[in-house]
Amino acid sequence: MIPTHLRCPTPGCGLESDREDGEYLCRRCHGLLELTYDYPRQDAVGWPELWRARGHGGSAADRSGVWRFRELLPLFDDAERVVSLGEGATPLVDLSRAASWAGVDHLSVKHQGANPTGSFKDLGMTVCITEAVRLGSKVVACASTGNTSSSMAAYAARAGLKAVVFVPRGAVSGAKLAQALDFGARVVEVGDNFDQAFGILRELAPKLGLYLVNSVNPFRLEGQKSIAVGLLEQCDWRPPDYIVLPGGNLGNTSAIGKGLRELSELGLLAQMPRLVVVQAEGAAPFHKMWSSGSSALIPVADPSTRATAIRIGNPANWPRARRVLELTEGLTTAVSDLEIDEAKRELAACGIGCEPASASTLAGVRRLRLQGLMDRGVRVVLILTGHQLKDTDYITEHLAGAAVVAGGSTSAEVESVVGRLV
Ligand SMILES: *Cc1c(COP(=O)(O)O)cnc(C)c1O
């Protein structure tokens, strides 16, 4: 039952690799390996009830919004020995004001900022670090636009492993760096953008014996696919028409797509939601490929956007993300930094704080509506990927009107200033 092999999902390849090798690339075609399972399909009909019952929470694994769904993650012998920080139990919030701003009837957000380190990366990391421990790895490593490093550092600390982070020079928010440092990771500046840092890490990891936890690691996707499961449970298994998420390295697109595919094969999904990938205009190679009908991705050499979490020009997961869009009849779009600012302000006006990259989803829906590529009457769920406090400089430096007002130090001065404000 517990898989001992990883499989290459590239059509026409399908080569298997031994799980004990800790590899992520197919030896034959260099495709990214995946975990596949022989699910006991006849039992699946009872799983939603089982998962719901666990939600009331006895054990640590039952309280995790990843391990609660462990029938879909039959990866380890003992569910109680997983490396968990209680990730995944994130809220789904309906937003009527933002819905009318974007031009759709029903809009909700699934807020991944409510995870232990403040981003969806925690759902992947709990599985990936558990596998690192099982393999006997001592040092884990990633290249990161910030959130992967915060998350890896926390789970590595939890498991007693060393953590090494490669960050592009000056391209990561101070808050995310501070998290990694706080959890004791070694942080190394490498190159000027994510793609350079990641390229160097991929080359050095085998030489230095580092266990790579970027989203090319198949165990990351296994954890992140639970975002789809948790969301559907919150929707009472009535899928929305669209699930919208930002695309950087496209690991999350691949993961959520894998979750939907497996639920569908198990008969737990009444209808396949369409996945929408939103990129920033200055870092939109996947959108360019998909919208032009091309079958190969042309990397962007110098990606640019203030939404640093999606400032990626050469997304490693594009082939599987492409298969996900084919499966779900998905869409892509790209939005400007100005549109991201507007969307972020709109979410904030609903009481929802998030990172700029997360706000791109709302901007994307608005744009697709204006272009007539999405109907008004649809039900949309946005995946908000990261917490508001991940990038506070962005708020104070770029958002118009986000400034502190000088009040003075006497009651009279303050009275007159505040009097004008209210
Ligand atoms: C990592 C991240 C993304 C991009 O996700 P990918 O899986 O790389 O496409 C988007 N937003 C935030 C906040 C992130 O941390």
Side-chain angles (χ1 to χ4, degrees):
M1 184 62 214
I2 292 181
T4 54
H5 286 81
L6 298 164
R7 216 178 65 82
C8 175
T10 307
C13 183
L15 188 71
E16 294 201 330
S17 297
D18 192 337
R19 179 173 169 189
E20 300 309 314
D21 294 343
E23 286 295 330
Y24 62 92
L25 283 183
C26 172
R27 264 172 290 120
R28 183 157 66 201
C29 76
H30 305 296
L32 292 169
L33 298 173
E34 251 173 40
L35 286 144
T36 47
Y37 310 101
D38 256 334
Y39 286 121
R41 276 156 217 273
Q42 67 286 358
D43 299 345
V45 62
W47 288 352
E49 199 41 56
L50 180 66
W51 295 333
R52 188 180 298 275
R54 275 186 197 143
H56 301 298
S59 69
D62 287 356
R63 288 191 298 272
S64 160
V66 172
W67 300 106
R68 190 155 67 81
F69 307 117
R70 55 189 171 267
E71 282 66 27
L72 299 172
L73 301 144
L75 289 166
F76 304 100
D77 285 324
D78 185 354
E80 295 311 322
R81 292 183 53 191
V82 295
V83 183
S84 172
L85 291 167
E87 57 289 319
T90 60
L92 182 70
V93 187
D94 295 332
L95 303 182
S96 56
R97 187 193 142 131
S100 54
W101 182 81
V104 292
D105 285 346
H106 307 281
L107 184 104
S108 352
V109 295
K110 172 91 174 135
H111 205 330
Q112 297 301 318
N115 274 300
T117 76
S119 85
F120 73 82
K121 302 297 198 295
D122 293 344
L123 286 92
M125 216 49 81
T126 180
V127 181
C128 187
I129 298 294
T130 301
E131 176 68 0
V133 170
R134 196 194 67 82
L135 285 169
S137 306
K138 298 283 178 268
V139 191
V140 293
C142 68
S144 177
T145 59
N147 283 333
T148 303
S149 58
S150 318
S151 182
M152 176 186 76
Y155 284 83
R158 174 91 170 148
L161 305 179
K162 284 191 180 150
V164 179
V165 178
F166 281 25
V167 293
R169 250 185 306 271
V172 172
S173 85
K176 295 177 188 178
L177 279 184
Q179 281 186 291
L181 293 168
D182 195 21
F183 292 126
R186 292 310 175 110
V187 179
V188 189
E189 280 191 335
V190 179
D192 296 315
N193 60 44
F194 170 83
D195 305 292
Q196 289 171 3
F198 187 42
I200 293 173
L201 177 61
R202 281 175 88 157
E203 193 187 313
L204 291 183
K207 287 188 197 160
L208 296 174
L210 309 174
Y211 183 72
L212 187 71
V213 308
N214 278 98
S215 59
V216 292
N217 184 313
F219 292 86
R220 279 276 306 279
L221 300 206
E222 291 311 300
Q224 287 167 215
K225 82 183 181 190
S226 335
I227 296 172
V229 190
L231 165 61
L232 279 155
E233 183 184 65
Q234 282 165 319
C235 296
D236 236 350
W237 300 95
R238 283 194 305 271
D241 298 299
Y242 291 92
I243 298 174
V244 186
L245 73 170
N249 217 13
L250 299 170
N252 215 24
T253 307
S254 308
I256 292 178
K258 187 171 193 281
L260 293 173
R261 191 183 77 215
E262 292 182 358
L263 289 175
S264 166
E265 286 167 2
L266 288 166
L268 296 176
L269 191 60
Q271 181 210 328
M272 184 62 85
R274 301 178 71 181
L275 237 61
V276 180
V277 176
V278 183
Q279 296 200 292
E281 273 177 354
F286 188 68
H287 167 62
K288 289 210 179 85
M289 178 194 76
W290 184 256
S291 58
S292 66
S294 158
S295 57
L297 180 131
I298 302 169
V300 172
D302 188 16
S304 77
T305 166
R306 287 201 299 267
T308 49
I310 51 173
R311 191 190 285 163
I312 293 180
N314 188 14
N317 289 291
W318 74 261
R320 45 189 178 202
R322 190 167 192 280
R323 290 194 287 276
V324 162
L325 287 208
E326 280 162 4
L327 172 77
T328 67
E329 295 178 45
L331 295 171
T332 64
T333 188
V335 294
S336 69
D337 281 4
L338 219 61
E339 288 173 274
I340 294 177
D341 290 354
E342 284 170 2
K344 188 164 155 44
R345 209 172 303 125
E346 184 55 37
L347 287 165
C350 300
I352 299 291
C354 65
E355 280 195 50
S358 313
S360 72
T361 53
L362 182 63
V365 171
R366 182 172 156 95
R367 184 175 260 239
L368 289 168
R369 279 288 298 133
L370 289 171
Q371 292 173 331
L373 297 173
M374 191 183 269
D375 293 335
R376 168 173 283 283
V378 295
R379 279 175 61 218
V380 180
V381 176
L382 312 178
I383 308 295
L384 298 186
T385 44
H387 196 281
Q388 179 183 37
L389 295 177
K390 288 284 193 172
D391 196 351
T392 52
D393 290 349
Y394 177 92
I395 300 170
T396 46
E397 286 167 19
H398 297 294
L399 289 191
V404 177
V405 176
S409 18
T410 67
S411 155
E413 281 168 358
V414 177
E415 184 182 352
S416 91
V417 171
V418 177
R420 273 182 272 122
L421 291 178
V422 294

